Amino acid sequence: MKKKDMNKQAKIQDAVAAIILAEGPAGVSTTKVAKRVGIAQSNVYLYFKNKQALIDSVYARETSRILSTTDIARLSDATIDLPTRIRLYVQQVYDYSLAHPDSLTIMQQIKALNGQPMTVLPGVADPNNIVVKLLTAAVDAQVIKPLPVSLHMGVVFSTIHTHTTNISQGRYSATQYSFDDIFQLIWDAMKRD
Amino acid sequence: MKKKDMNKQAKIQDAVAAIILAEGPAGVSTTKVAKRVGIAQSNVYLYFKNKQALIDSVYARETSRILSTTDIARLSDATIDLPTRIRLYVQQVYDYSLAHPDSLTIMQQIKALNGQPMTVLPGVADPNNIVVKLLTAAVDAQVIKPLPVSLHMGVVFSTIHTHTTNISQGRYSATQYSFDDIFQLIWDAMKRD
Amino acid sequence: MKKKDMNKQAKIQDAVAAIILAEGPAGVSTTKVAKRVGIAQSNVYLYFKNKQALIDSVYARETSRILSTTDIARLSDATIDLPTRIRLYVQQVYDYSLAHPDSLTIMQQIKALNGQPMTVLPGVADPNNIVVKLLTAAVDAQVIKPLPVSLHMGVVFSTIHTHTTNISQGRYSATQYSFDDIFQLIWDAMKRD
Amino acid sequence: MKKKDMNKQAKIQDAVAAIILAEGPAGVSTTKVAKRVGIAQSNVYLYFKNKQALIDSVYARETSRILSTTDIARLSDATIDLPTRIRLYVQQVYDYSLAHPDSLTIMQQIKALNGQPMTVLPGVADPNNIVVKLLTAAVDAQVIKPLPVSLHMGVVFSTIHTHTTNISQGRYSATQYSFDDIFQLIWDAMKRD
DNA sequence: TATGAATGAGTGTTCATTCAT
DNA sequence: AATGAATGAACACTCATTCAT
C-alpha cells in the first residue's frame, strides 16, 4: 500500500492540490485532505501549523517548482540580447506549463481564495523580480511597448495558461499548435512597432 | 442611503458582490449577507432558492449588465468589416470594464469558487456566442491568427482586466494610457501578419 | 415535557451553573450545556455570542441576583450609624448566601476559571462600590481596624461562604449556629479595639 | 538559566505552576507544559501517569513545601500554651505565604479546577490534621469561639492569602502592615470573649 | 413578506494519551 | 530516558437550510 514512502508532508500537499483542481479552493478542508491521504484529521496539524500555512505551503511549492525547473539565471545574463531573453522567458513558462499543466491553475486558485485575483505570475509585486527587471529593461530599451509590465506579463500568463488548459482538457491536442505559433501571438503583443 | 426603491433581491446581490470583493468568494455566507442587508438570515431564502442560486444570480447579473451596456447587435452586423467589429468589441469590453471596475473581478471570483478557473469571458463555451462567432469568422477570413478563439479572447480579457484593476488600485491614473495604447497591444496580438 | 416555558436563555444559564457546581468551571462546554438543556449545540449561539459571553452572563446574573435581593440603599443611608450598617451588610450577605447556597460558589469558580482568584465579593476593585465606600468610611471613623478594605471583606466573604457551604454539604444543620454566632466572629475581626 | 541539576520532574511541575499562575488552571495542557520545559510532549508521561497525576503532584508539592518549611512539631507541643501555639501557627502560615506568594494561589486554583472550592487549608477534612487538633483543643479549652474549626481556619487562610496577594500585586508594600496588625484581626476573630 | 428559532453537518483546532523506535 | 508520529475525542464556532408563526 505504502508506495514510495514519499513523506507525509508532500502527500498532504498533493491532496490539497488534487482537491483544489477537483473542487476549487473552497473545497479544501482538513477533513477531506486527511481522508484523501488516509490519516486522522488531527494529523494534518503535525505537519502544518494551521490550514493557512498548509495552503501557503502548497503555493510556495509550486512557486519553487517553477524556479527550480526554469533557468532564471540566463534571464539576467546581459550578454544575451533582450528579445532573446524574453523569448527564453516565454519558452520557459511555456515548457513548464506544459510539463505541469495544473501548476499555474493551482497557484491562480489559491490566490483567488484569499482575496484579489492573480492575473499574472507570482512575485510581480516584488521589484527585484528578475522577470520584472527584464521587461522593464526591455521597455526602456524600446524593445517592447511602453506599457505597464503587468500587462506584458498578463499576456504571457493568460495565453500560455489558456493554451495548456485547453490541451489538458482535451480541447485540442498538444501538437496542433507549436510553441512558435503561441509565441508569435505573445511577441506581437509585446514588441514595439 | 441607497436608492429607496431598489428591491431587496438586488440589495442582497449587492451584498454578495461587496463581500466577494472584500473577502473573496469563500467569504460569502447567508449570515453575512443578511447582516449586511439588514434582514433576517432566513429571509435570503425568500428571494433565492439556495446559496448557489444566489451566487449564480450575481454572476448572471454581471453578465447581463455587460450585455445590456454594450451594443452586441453591431458585432454581428455584416455590413461592418471584421477588424472594425473586433475593435468595437474590444472597445465595448474596455469601456464596460472602466465603468464597472469590479464587474470582471466578481465574475472571475465566482467562477473560481466553483471549480475550474475562467480565463476568458463568460459564454465562451457557447458556440452561439456572438463574440465567438465574430472571432471565428475573423480567423476564417484570415484577419486574425489561426489560433483557438479562447486565446484571442484571453488576451482581450487579461489585458483589459489587468489594466482596469491597476487603475482601480491606484497603480497609475486612468489617463496615463489611452484606449489606443491598450488596443494596440491587443490587436497586434490578434491580427494576422 | 416543556415545563414552564421558562425562557431558553435562563435554562442555558442554569445548565452552566449546574455544571460548574458539579464538575467545576473547566467542565463547562457548549456540548454539555446543550445536552443538559436538551437543545442542539449550535443553539447555544442563538442566545450567547460565544462561550465567554455565556459564562460572563452567568456571573452577571448571580451578581444582579445579589443586588436585587439585598437592600443596598440602606447601606449608604447616612442616618444609620456605621456599626449598624455594617451589621446590615453582613446580615444581607448571610441571608443571601443561605437562601442561595451555590451563588457565591458559582461566582468564585467563574472568577477562578479566567485568571486570578477572587477572595472577596465582586466589585471590590470598583472604587464606587457601595460596600467599599461603607467600609472605607468605617475605617476613617475609626470604627473598624485600619486595614485594607479587602481584608475586612475577605473575612465576611470567607466566613459566610464557608459556613453556608458547610451547611449545604450537611456538615452541620442550619440551626446549629445562629447569625449572631457568625456575626460575632466577623465583627470581632473587624472592629477597632 | 535555572539550576542545572534540577530534575525534569520538578521542571515539569514548575511549568505547571507557572501556567496556572499565568492563565489559570484551565490553561494547563501537556502540550504547553512540554513546550515550556523544552521536551517532547509525550515525555511528560514518562514522569507522570497522566495529567491528573501531574496536577495532583503539583498540589502535593506545595503542601509538602508548607509542611517542610513550617515547624509543625511545635504546634502539638503540649508544654506551650494554646494561644501561643495558635499564634505560632498563624505566624508560620504568614511567613510561608510571604516567602512563597504564589503557593496558596496555586493550591486554591487546583482545587477549583476539579470541583468544589477550597476555602481553607488542605487537610482540613483529615481528622488527624495537626492544625485541626490544635484548634479543636482550643475550642474545647474555651480559648477560641465555639464555632466550626473550618471557620477559624477560613479566617486565617482568607486574611493571609488576601494580604499577600495584595502585596505581590503591588496594591501596597510589604512593610505597610506588620504581622501584628494582621494577627490582631485574626486573633480578635477567633478568641473567645 | 418577513422573522426568529431551530438544527445537523461541518469547520479548524487542541487535547490527552499511546506506541514504535 | 527520550522522541516523533499517530489518533480519536472533544472543543468552540459557523453554516445552509427549514419551519412555524
PDB file of all heavy atoms in Angstrom, chain B residues 26-50:
ATOM      1  N   ALA B  26     -14.972  32.879  -0.976  1.00  0.00           N
ATOM      2  CA  ALA B  26     -15.187  31.940   0.124  1.00  0.00           C
ATOM      3  C   ALA B  26     -15.806  32.640   1.331  1.00  0.00           C
ATOM      4  O   ALA B  26     -16.311  31.992   2.231  1.00  0.00           O
ATOM      5  CB  ALA B  26     -13.873  31.272   0.513  1.00  0.00           C
ATOM      6  N   GLY B  27     -15.755  33.958   1.335  1.00  0.00           N
ATOM      7  CA  GLY B  27     -16.288  34.694   2.475  1.00  0.00           C
ATOM      8  C   GLY B  27     -17.789  34.896   2.444  1.00  0.00           C
ATOM      9  O   GLY B  27     -18.373  35.396   3.402  1.00  0.00           O
ATOM     10  N   VAL B  28     -18.407  34.498   1.356  1.00  0.00           N
ATOM     11  CA  VAL B  28     -19.852  34.711   1.229  1.00  0.00           C
ATOM     12  C   VAL B  28     -20.621  33.692   2.055  1.00  0.00           C
ATOM     13  O   VAL B  28     -20.458  32.495   1.870  1.00  0.00           O
ATOM     14  CB  VAL B  28     -20.292  34.605  -0.246  1.00  0.00           C
ATOM     15  CG1 VAL B  28     -21.793  34.777  -0.348  1.00  0.00           C
ATOM     16  CG2 VAL B  28     -19.568  35.637  -1.092  1.00  0.00           C
ATOM     17  N   SER B  29     -21.417  34.162   2.979  1.00  0.00           N
ATOM     18  CA  SER B  29     -22.315  33.273   3.725  1.00  0.00           C
ATOM     19  C   SER B  29     -23.647  33.988   3.883  1.00  0.00           C
ATOM     20  O   SER B  29     -23.693  35.221   3.923  1.00  0.00           O
ATOM     21  CB  SER B  29     -21.728  32.939   5.095  1.00  0.00           C
ATOM     22  OG  SER B  29     -21.975  33.968   6.010  1.00  0.00           O
ATOM     23  N   THR B  30     -24.690  33.214   3.983  1.00  0.00           N
ATOM     24  CA  THR B  30     -26.018  33.827   4.117  1.00  0.00           C
ATOM     25  C   THR B  30     -26.070  34.704   5.362  1.00  0.00           C
ATOM     26  O   THR B  30     -26.712  35.748   5.369  1.00  0.00           O
ATOM     27  CB  THR B  30     -27.105  32.749   4.198  1.00  0.00           C
ATOM     28  OG1 THR B  30     -26.809  31.878   5.277  1.00  0.00           O
ATOM     29  CG2 THR B  30     -27.188  31.968   2.908  1.00  0.00           C
ATOM     30  N   THR B  31     -25.378  34.273   6.403  1.00  0.00           N
ATOM     31  CA  THR B  31     -25.328  35.068   7.621  1.00  0.00           C
ATOM     32  C   THR B  31     -24.796  36.465   7.342  1.00  0.00           C
ATOM     33  O   THR B  31     -25.427  37.467   7.684  1.00  0.00           O
ATOM     34  CB  THR B  31     -24.389  34.381   8.651  1.00  0.00           C
ATOM     35  OG1 THR B  31     -24.605  32.980   8.620  1.00  0.00           O
ATOM     36  CG2 THR B  31     -24.622  34.929  10.030  1.00  0.00           C
ATOM     37  N   LYS B  32     -23.627  36.511   6.724  1.00  0.00           N
ATOM     38  CA  LYS B  32     -23.004  37.806   6.472  1.00  0.00           C
ATOM     39  C   LYS B  32     -23.828  38.635   5.503  1.00  0.00           C
ATOM     40  O   LYS B  32     -23.962  39.849   5.679  1.00  0.00           O
ATOM     41  CB  LYS B  32     -21.590  37.603   5.914  1.00  0.00           C
ATOM     42  CG  LYS B  32     -20.537  37.441   6.990  1.00  0.00           C
ATOM     43  CD  LYS B  32     -19.140  37.462   6.361  1.00  0.00           C
ATOM     44  CE  LYS B  32     -18.339  36.244   6.770  1.00  0.00           C
ATOM     45  NZ  LYS B  32     -17.187  35.982   5.894  1.00  0.00           N
ATOM     46  N   VAL B  33     -24.343  37.980   4.492  1.00  0.00           N
ATOM     47  CA  VAL B  33     -25.149  38.693   3.512  1.00  0.00           C
ATOM     48  C   VAL B  33     -26.346  39.342   4.202  1.00  0.00           C
ATOM     49  O   VAL B  33     -26.606  40.537   4.039  1.00  0.00           O
ATOM     50  CB  VAL B  33     -25.635  37.734   2.400  1.00  0.00           C
ATOM     51  CG1 VAL B  33     -26.690  38.412   1.529  1.00  0.00           C
ATOM     52  CG2 VAL B  33     -24.461  37.289   1.550  1.00  0.00           C
ATOM     53  N   ALA B  34     -27.052  38.546   4.991  1.00  0.00           N
ATOM     54  CA  ALA B  34     -28.243  39.068   5.666  1.00  0.00           C
ATOM     55  C   ALA B  34     -27.886  40.229   6.585  1.00  0.00           C
ATOM     56  O   ALA B  34     -28.579  41.249   6.624  1.00  0.00           O
ATOM     57  CB  ALA B  34     -28.919  37.949   6.449  1.00  0.00           C
ATOM     58  N   LYS B  35     -26.789  40.072   7.317  1.00  0.00           N
ATOM     59  CA  LYS B  35     -26.372  41.128   8.245  1.00  0.00           C
ATOM     60  C   LYS B  35     -26.105  42.418   7.484  1.00  0.00           C
ATOM     61  O   LYS B  35     -26.497  43.508   7.895  1.00  0.00           O
ATOM     62  CB  LYS B  35     -25.118  40.675   8.996  1.00  0.00           C
ATOM     63  CG  LYS B  35     -24.875  41.453  10.277  1.00  0.00           C
ATOM     64  CD  LYS B  35     -23.816  40.769  11.148  1.00  0.00           C
ATOM     65  CE  LYS B  35     -24.357  39.463  11.750  1.00  0.00           C
ATOM     66  NZ  LYS B  35     -23.305  38.611  12.339  1.00  0.00           N
ATOM     67  N   ARG B  36     -25.422  42.280   6.345  1.00  0.00           N
ATOM     68  CA  ARG B  36     -25.084  43.446   5.555  1.00  0.00           C
ATOM     69  C   ARG B  36     -26.333  44.147   5.013  1.00  0.00           C
ATOM     70  O   ARG B  36     -26.383  45.380   4.930  1.00  0.00           O
ATOM     71  CB  ARG B  36     -24.208  43.004   4.390  1.00  0.00           C
ATOM     72  CG  ARG B  36     -23.135  43.987   3.979  1.00  0.00           C
ATOM     73  CD  ARG B  36     -22.260  43.361   2.918  1.00  0.00           C
ATOM     74  NE  ARG B  36     -20.924  43.099   3.389  1.00  0.00           N
ATOM     75  CZ  ARG B  36     -19.882  43.910   3.138  1.00  0.00           C
ATOM     76  NH1 ARG B  36     -20.060  44.991   2.416  1.00  0.00           N
ATOM     77  NH2 ARG B  36     -18.692  43.623   3.588  1.00  0.00           N
ATOM     78  N   VAL B  37     -27.322  43.352   4.653  1.00  0.00           N
ATOM     79  CA  VAL B  37     -28.538  43.933   4.085  1.00  0.00           C
ATOM     80  C   VAL B  37     -29.447  44.456   5.209  1.00  0.00           C
ATOM     81  O   VAL B  37     -30.245  45.361   5.006  1.00  0.00           O
ATOM     82  CB  VAL B  37     -29.286  42.897   3.224  1.00  0.00           C
ATOM     83  CG1 VAL B  37     -30.580  43.474   2.689  1.00  0.00           C
ATOM     84  CG2 VAL B  37     -28.407  42.439   2.072  1.00  0.00           C
ATOM     85  N   GLY B  38     -29.298  43.858   6.363  1.00  0.00           N
ATOM     86  CA  GLY B  38     -30.146  44.264   7.479  1.00  0.00           C
ATOM     87  C   GLY B  38     -31.460  43.505   7.536  1.00  0.00           C
ATOM     88  O   GLY B  38     -32.482  44.024   7.962  1.00  0.00           O
ATOM     89  N   ILE B  39     -31.420  42.277   7.085  1.00  0.00           N
ATOM     90  CA  ILE B  39     -32.616  41.433   7.152  1.00  0.00           C
ATOM     91  C   ILE B  39     -32.288  40.163   7.925  1.00  0.00           C
ATOM     92  O   ILE B  39     -31.139  39.912   8.263  1.00  0.00           O
ATOM     93  CB  ILE B  39     -33.106  41.040   5.744  1.00  0.00           C
ATOM     94  CG1 ILE B  39     -31.979  40.313   5.003  1.00  0.00           C
ATOM     95  CG2 ILE B  39     -33.558  42.269   4.976  1.00  0.00           C
ATOM     96  CD1 ILE B  39     -32.399  39.762   3.661  1.00  0.00           C
ATOM     97  N   ALA B  40     -33.318  39.371   8.192  1.00  0.00           N
ATOM     98  CA  ALA B  40     -33.082  38.102   8.859  1.00  0.00           C
ATOM     99  C   ALA B  40     -32.427  37.130   7.893  1.00  0.00           C
ATOM    100  O   ALA B  40     -32.656  37.193   6.681  1.00  0.00           O
ATOM    101  CB  ALA B  40     -34.387  37.523   9.371  1.00  0.00           C
ATOM    102  N   GLN B  41     -31.628  36.252   8.475  1.00  0.00           N
ATOM    103  CA  GLN B  41     -30.887  35.332   7.629  1.00  0.00           C
ATOM    104  C   GLN B  41     -31.817  34.489   6.760  1.00  0.00           C
ATOM    105  O   GLN B  41     -31.567  34.273   5.573  1.00  0.00           O
ATOM    106  CB  GLN B  41     -30.030  34.438   8.526  1.00  0.00           C
ATOM    107  CG  GLN B  41     -29.098  33.555   7.738  1.00  0.00           C
ATOM    108  CD  GLN B  41     -28.481  32.473   8.613  1.00  0.00           C
ATOM    109  OE1 GLN B  41     -27.789  31.602   8.124  1.00  0.00           O
ATOM    110  NE2 GLN B  41     -28.732  32.526   9.913  1.00  0.00           N
ATOM    111  N   SER B  42     -32.868  34.034   7.379  1.00  0.00           N
ATOM    112  CA  SER B  42     -33.786  33.153   6.655  1.00  0.00           C
ATOM    113  C   SER B  42     -34.437  33.857   5.475  1.00  0.00           C
ATOM    114  O   SER B  42     -34.896  33.235   4.531  1.00  0.00           O
ATOM    115  CB  SER B  42     -34.854  32.633   7.608  1.00  0.00           C
ATOM    116  OG  SER B  42     -35.569  33.712   8.157  1.00  0.00           O
ATOM    117  N   ASN B  43     -34.431  35.159   5.588  1.00  0.00           N
ATOM    118  CA  ASN B  43     -35.063  35.974   4.554  1.00  0.00           C
ATOM    119  C   ASN B  43     -34.406  35.807   3.188  1.00  0.00           C
ATOM    120  O   ASN B  43     -35.061  35.958   2.146  1.00  0.00           O
ATOM    121  CB  ASN B  43     -34.962  37.438   4.974  1.00  0.00           C
ATOM    122  CG  ASN B  43     -36.244  38.158   4.723  1.00  0.00           C
ATOM    123  OD1 ASN B  43     -36.905  37.871   3.740  1.00  0.00           O
ATOM    124  ND2 ASN B  43     -36.608  39.063   5.597  1.00  0.00           N
ATOM    125  N   VAL B  44     -33.166  35.493   3.214  1.00  0.00           N
ATOM    126  CA  VAL B  44     -32.443  35.303   1.953  1.00  0.00           C
ATOM    127  C   VAL B  44     -33.138  34.242   1.109  1.00  0.00           C
ATOM    128  O   VAL B  44     -33.197  34.343  -0.117  1.00  0.00           O
ATOM    129  CB  VAL B  44     -30.984  34.884   2.232  1.00  0.00           C
ATOM    130  CG1 VAL B  44     -30.272  34.500   0.948  1.00  0.00           C
ATOM    131  CG2 VAL B  44     -30.241  36.003   2.950  1.00  0.00           C
ATOM    132  N   TYR B  45     -33.715  33.282   1.806  1.00  0.00           N
ATOM    133  CA  TYR B  45     -34.326  32.165   1.087  1.00  0.00           C
ATOM    134  C   TYR B  45     -35.690  32.495   0.508  1.00  0.00           C
ATOM    135  O   TYR B  45     -36.287  31.682  -0.177  1.00  0.00           O
ATOM    136  CB  TYR B  45     -34.397  30.940   2.004  1.00  0.00           C
ATOM    137  CG  TYR B  45     -33.039  30.349   2.218  1.00  0.00           C
ATOM    138  CD1 TYR B  45     -32.178  30.869   3.180  1.00  0.00           C
ATOM    139  CD2 TYR B  45     -32.578  29.320   1.418  1.00  0.00           C
ATOM    140  CE1 TYR B  45     -30.914  30.352   3.359  1.00  0.00           C
ATOM    141  CE2 TYR B  45     -31.316  28.786   1.587  1.00  0.00           C
ATOM    142  CZ  TYR B  45     -30.481  29.311   2.553  1.00  0.00           C
ATOM    143  OH  TYR B  45     -29.231  28.804   2.715  1.00  0.00           O
ATOM    144  N   LEU B  46     -36.166  33.667   0.840  1.00  0.00           N
ATOM    145  CA  LEU B  46     -37.403  34.113   0.191  1.00  0.00           C
ATOM    146  C   LEU B  46     -37.114  34.531  -1.240  1.00  0.00           C
ATOM    147  O   LEU B  46     -37.972  34.423  -2.110  1.00  0.00           O
ATOM    148  CB  LEU B  46     -38.004  35.289   0.957  1.00  0.00           C
ATOM    149  CG  LEU B  46     -38.607  34.975   2.305  1.00  0.00           C
ATOM    150  CD1 LEU B  46     -39.105  36.260   2.953  1.00  0.00           C
ATOM    151  CD2 LEU B  46     -39.736  33.970   2.160  1.00  0.00           C
ATOM    152  N   TYR B  47     -35.886  34.983  -1.438  1.00  0.00           N
ATOM    153  CA  TYR B  47     -35.551  35.541  -2.743  1.00  0.00           C
ATOM    154  C   TYR B  47     -34.716  34.597  -3.599  1.00  0.00           C
ATOM    155  O   TYR B  47     -34.691  34.706  -4.812  1.00  0.00           O
ATOM    156  CB  TYR B  47     -34.812  36.861  -2.561  1.00  0.00           C
ATOM    157  CG  TYR B  47     -35.654  37.887  -1.859  1.00  0.00           C
ATOM    158  CD1 TYR B  47     -35.578  38.059  -0.485  1.00  0.00           C
ATOM    159  CD2 TYR B  47     -36.573  38.645  -2.584  1.00  0.00           C
ATOM    160  CE1 TYR B  47     -36.371  38.986   0.156  1.00  0.00           C
ATOM    161  CE2 TYR B  47     -37.367  39.574  -1.947  1.00  0.00           C
ATOM    162  CZ  TYR B  47     -37.260  39.738  -0.573  1.00  0.00           C
ATOM    163  OH  TYR B  47     -38.065  40.657   0.052  1.00  0.00           O
ATOM    164  N   PHE B  48     -34.038  33.678  -2.911  1.00  0.00           N
ATOM    165  CA  PHE B  48     -33.192  32.750  -3.664  1.00  0.00           C
ATOM    166  C   PHE B  48     -33.361  31.351  -3.093  1.00  0.00           C
ATOM    167  O   PHE B  48     -33.339  31.170  -1.881  1.00  0.00           O
ATOM    168  CB  PHE B  48     -31.730  33.183  -3.601  1.00  0.00           C
ATOM    169  CG  PHE B  48     -31.505  34.555  -4.172  1.00  0.00           C
ATOM    170  CD1 PHE B  48     -31.500  35.669  -3.353  1.00  0.00           C
ATOM    171  CD2 PHE B  48     -31.349  34.720  -5.542  1.00  0.00           C
ATOM    172  CE1 PHE B  48     -31.316  36.935  -3.884  1.00  0.00           C
ATOM    173  CE2 PHE B  48     -31.163  35.984  -6.074  1.00  0.00           C
ATOM    174  CZ  PHE B  48     -31.158  37.098  -5.249  1.00  0.00           C
ATOM    175  N   LYS B  49     -33.502  30.416  -3.998  1.00  0.00           N
ATOM    176  CA  LYS B  49     -33.754  29.036  -3.609  1.00  0.00           C
ATOM    177  C   LYS B  49     -32.683  28.524  -2.643  1.00  0.00           C
ATOM    178  O   LYS B  49     -32.994  27.867  -1.641  1.00  0.00           O
ATOM    179  CB  LYS B  49     -33.803  28.171  -4.873  1.00  0.00           C
ATOM    180  CG  LYS B  49     -34.148  26.716  -4.677  1.00  0.00           C
ATOM    181  CD  LYS B  49     -34.276  26.036  -6.043  1.00  0.00           C
ATOM    182  CE  LYS B  49     -33.763  24.599  -5.993  1.00  0.00           C
ATOM    183  NZ  LYS B  49     -32.280  24.504  -5.992  1.00  0.00           N
ATOM    184  N   ASN B  50     -31.455  28.793  -2.959  1.00  0.00           N
ATOM    185  CA  ASN B  50     -30.381  28.421  -2.054  1.00  0.00           C
ATOM    186  C   ASN B  50     -29.164  29.273  -2.352  1.00  0.00           C
ATOM    187  O   ASN B  50     -29.201  30.137  -3.218  1.00  0.00           O
ATOM    188  CB  ASN B  50     -30.063  26.924  -2.161  1.00  0.00           C
ATOM    189  CG  ASN B  50     -29.764  26.514  -3.585  1.00  0.00           C
ATOM    190  OD1 ASN B  50     -29.253  27.303  -4.363  1.00  0.00           O
ATOM    191  ND2 ASN B  50     -30.103  25.287  -3.922  1.00  0.00           N
TER     192      ASN B  50
END
